[in-house]
Amino acid sequence: MIFPNLILVLLSLLLFSCSTSEKSQFNVQSDSDIGMYNEAMGYISSKKYEESIEILNELELQHPYSELASRGQVMAGFAQYSLNKYDEAILTLSKFIELNPNHQLLPYALYLKGYSYYERMPDVTLDQKFSVKAYDVFSELENRYPNSSYAKKSKKHIKTLQNHLASKEMQIGKYYQKEGFLLAGIKRYKVILKDYKRTVHVPESIYRIIECYVSLGLRNQSIYLYKILNYNFPKSVWKREALDLLKEYKVNRNLKKYKKKELDLEKLDSSAFDLI
């Protein structure tokens, strides 16, 4: 669950207070948008999510232009998420996001949509479509609302997803390399360098490319990558492995000197790896 119950109740009260100054109680059956909304919030606070969804859907039908109907879409998404109905939650939240491009609840809606994908992040051996979608939504949230508290929450999820997706690329790259499809393996390892260069898998990905290049006889490229590995990860076990590999194949590491800007991963543009 994303929110403790107390925070959820406070959020519900906040949504109501923003829409009206009229005092009202939960569980008041009414055909008005205020009455229907508060009744649905009462069900949510009692964890009766199915009942809340039914009322919120009816609220949208009866009062399609009400501000509370828009807010109700977000809360319906939360209720669906709470029932583990992730696909339904994503559809509901996507509709809200599309129809309300400037709404104050957009950061929360994006976060909840991303989390509905994130909850289904599979084992690294399986297809990663949910991981990719979660990464895309959290990244959109961070880019559009960088100062939002939900963007800050998203950062740790993005970091986890980056490492997870990099691990998948590493797994596929190793498979191709083992089967002798070196160029296909190199392509996967380079995805890590280009898209996930702040993950824990970067040192090994550089080493694996060096392995492939040595096997292909591409000594200059091997030396350059070793220099990058040595500059950025001097204490890494993969740097030591790469050094031993170059010694074994009698590759002269001192054939060419490079400037720091040519070695620093933080300064290298991702397109640079296409040329290595």
Side-chain angles (χ1 to χ4, degrees):
M1 187 68 65
I2 294 177
F3 292 109
N5 290 337
L6 177 59
I7 296 179
L8 175 58
V9 173
L10 291 175
L11 174 62
S12 303
L13 290 172
L14 174 61
L15 297 182
F16 172 74
S17 65
C18 289
S19 63
T20 179
S21 59
E22 180 181 341
K23 293 184 179 180
S24 181
Q25 299 294 323
F26 288 131
N27 300 319
V28 176
Q29 295 184 354
S30 171
D31 289 333
S32 71
D33 57 347
I34 296 172
M36 295 176 73
Y37 183 83
N38 278 310
E39 186 177 356
M41 293 304 98
Y43 280 128
I44 286 180
S45 66
S46 301
K47 297 185 179 181
K48 296 180 179 179
Y49 299 118
E50 292 284 6
E51 291 87 342
S52 70
I53 293 169
E54 183 177 348
I55 293 174
L56 290 168
N57 287 339
E58 189 64 25
L59 168 61
E60 185 179 358
L61 288 173
Q62 292 190 25
H63 306 279
Y65 303 110
S66 168
E67 165 64 13
L68 290 179
S70 296
R71 293 171 181 269
Q73 286 181 336
V74 179
M75 299 314 297
F78 173 83
Q80 290 161 338
Y81 163 83
S82 300
L83 291 169
N84 298 328
K85 295 182 177 181
Y86 299 120
D87 288 333
E88 292 182 23
I90 289 166
L91 286 173
T92 299
L93 294 164
S94 296
K95 179 180 178 181
F96 170 81
I97 292 166
E98 182 178 354
L99 295 177
N100 301 274
N102 299 308
H103 201 283
Q104 67 186 58
L105 291 180
L106 260 178
Y108 173 68
L110 283 167
Y111 181 79
L112 187 54
K113 178 182 176 180
Y115 211 86
S116 295
Y117 286 122
Y118 186 80
E119 285 275 31
R120 291 180 288 176
M121 181 171 58
D123 182 82
V124 72
T125 59
L126 302 175
D127 182 80
Q128 297 299 311
K129 65 178 181 179
F130 290 131
S131 303
V132 172
K133 289 181 178 180
Y135 180 79
D136 289 343
V137 176
F138 285 140
S139 297
E140 179 185 357
L141 170 56
E142 190 175 21
N143 291 331
R144 290 178 63 181
Y145 304 99
N147 298 321
S148 165
S149 61
Y150 295 108
K152 295 175 183 177
K153 290 175 182 288
S154 294
K155 285 183 183 295
K156 65 177 183 179
H157 302 321
I158 289 173
K159 184 176 181 180
T160 298
L161 287 161
Q162 285 177 329
N163 277 294
H164 193 75
L165 292 170
S167 181
K168 179 64 175 181
E169 296 295 336
M170 179 64 69
Q171 180 198 52
I172 297 173
K174 285 182 178 179
Y175 170 79
Y176 283 137
Q177 184 180 358
K178 181 180 178 181
E179 295 299 316
F181 302 110
L182 300 184
L183 295 180
I186 290 169
K187 183 177 180 180
R188 292 293 184 166
Y189 298 139
K190 283 187 176 181
V191 170
I192 298 173
L193 297 183
K194 292 168 65 177
D195 297 340
Y196 310 116
K197 66 180 182 180
R198 289 186 174 87
T199 66
V200 297
H201 299 284
V202 169
E204 184 180 359
S205 68
I206 297 175
Y207 170 75
R208 297 298 175 189
I209 298 175
I210 293 173
E211 273 190 325
C212 294
Y213 279 169
V214 168
S215 297
L216 292 168
L218 300 174
R219 296 195 166 210
N220 289 338
Q221 290 90 334
S222 300
I223 294 167
Y224 181 35
L225 281 169
Y226 171 76
K227 295 286 188 180
I228 291 176
L229 184 57
N230 183 53
Y231 180 85
N232 293 278
F233 308 100
K235 297 182 180 180
S236 169
V237 63
W238 299 111
K239 177 258 182 178
R240 295 193 295 272
E241 290 285 338
L243 179 59
D244 291 341
L245 180 66
L246 295 181
K247 286 180 178 179
E248 179 183 350
Y249 282 85
K250 297 181 172 58
V251 177
N252 186 351
R253 306 184 309 280
N254 300 313
L255 285 177
K256 183 178 178 180
K257 293 185 178 181
Y258 296 91
K259 298 178 181 178
K260 288 184 178 181
K261 66 179 181 180
E262 296 177 289
L263 302 175
D264 191 341
L265 282 175
E266 293 298 322
K267 296 179 180 178
L268 281 175
D269 186 85
S270 61
S271 62
F273 296 108
D274 292 330
L275 305 176
I276 300 176

